[in-house]
Amino acid sequence: LGLIAAPIPLLSPSQGISGFANGATVTVLAMFILSEGVQRTGVVQILGRKISAFTGDDETRQLGATIGVVAPISGFINNTAAVAILLPMVSDLAERGGTSPSKLLLPLSYASMFGGMLTVIGTSTNILASELSAQLLGHPFGMFEFTALGAVVAVFGTAYLMTVGRWLVPARIKPRRD
């Protein structure tokens, strides 16, 4: 009962914005800025056209191309940003190939998580864990310190998504042309 009635301490303005000075926060912000820059260059649209020409209406090729593109990219830009950048491209790929978008969008999300495990900047969690390691142990994680484990997860995750996973992902939305 004492916990409920305890007053909530107010933060000073400097305490309230202190989190924005955190290196992890700045790194994630930089990844989103980089992602927006990549989006504005038009590279994603060009990549989408080339992938669409390669995959056609073959769902297996579409799935393989989606996973094969997002996983490596997620290792070098934040995986959330990678999904945000590639989401329109994958939706267009599904539309052009007559595939239900859910058959590609869910694997897009999972593959970005696999790829995010490749480097310390791949996910916000990795960045925070590295900073915590630096504070507690005096040693931050190196850029490629857990790449070997990330590669194993990515290989097995990709194999799963291309085999068992593709049959478990529902076709929630019918393919259509916008």
Side-chain angles (χ1 to χ4, degrees), residues 12-165:
S12 70
S14 62
Q15 289 174 317
I17 62 170
S18 66
F20 292 109
N22 184 309
T25 305
V26 173
T27 303
V28 171
L29 176 63
M31 290 295 111
F32 279 107
I33 291 169
L34 173 68
S35 301
E36 180 63 22
V38 169
Q39 181 74 21
R40 288 182 182 213
T41 64
V43 170
V44 176
Q45 289 80 6
I46 294 168
L47 180 63
R49 284 193 299 273
K50 292 195 181 294
I51 290 173
S52 182
F54 169 73
T55 61
D57 61 356
D58 185 342
E59 186 180 321
T60 302
R61 280 185 171 189
Q62 291 172 346
L63 182 60
T66 299
I67 295 167
V69 168
V70 75
I73 288 174
S74 295
F76 294 98
I77 64 171
N78 186 280
N79 65 340
T80 305
V83 169
I85 288 172
L86 295 175
L87 190 126
M89 182 197 81
V90 172
S91 295
D92 289 346
L93 181 66
E95 184 180 304
R96 289 181 192 148
T99 303
S100 172
S102 60
K103 292 291 230 177
L104 299 179
L105 293 176
L106 192 60
L108 171 74
S109 176
Y110 287 136
S112 77
M113 287 186 256
F114 303 152
M117 294 178 68
L118 295 171
T119 64
V120 77
I121 63 169
T123 69
S124 305
T125 308
N126 293 355
I127 295 167
L128 290 170
S130 178
E131 187 167 302
L132 187 61
S133 176
Q135 289 174 0
L136 297 177
L137 305 174
H139 172 69
F141 295 132
M143 177 72 162
F144 300 104
E145 193 158 334
F146 36 81
T147 300
L149 175 61
V152 169
V153 170
V155 166
F156 281 97
T158 299
Y160 179 81
L161 287 175
M162 293 295 294
T163 56
V164 176

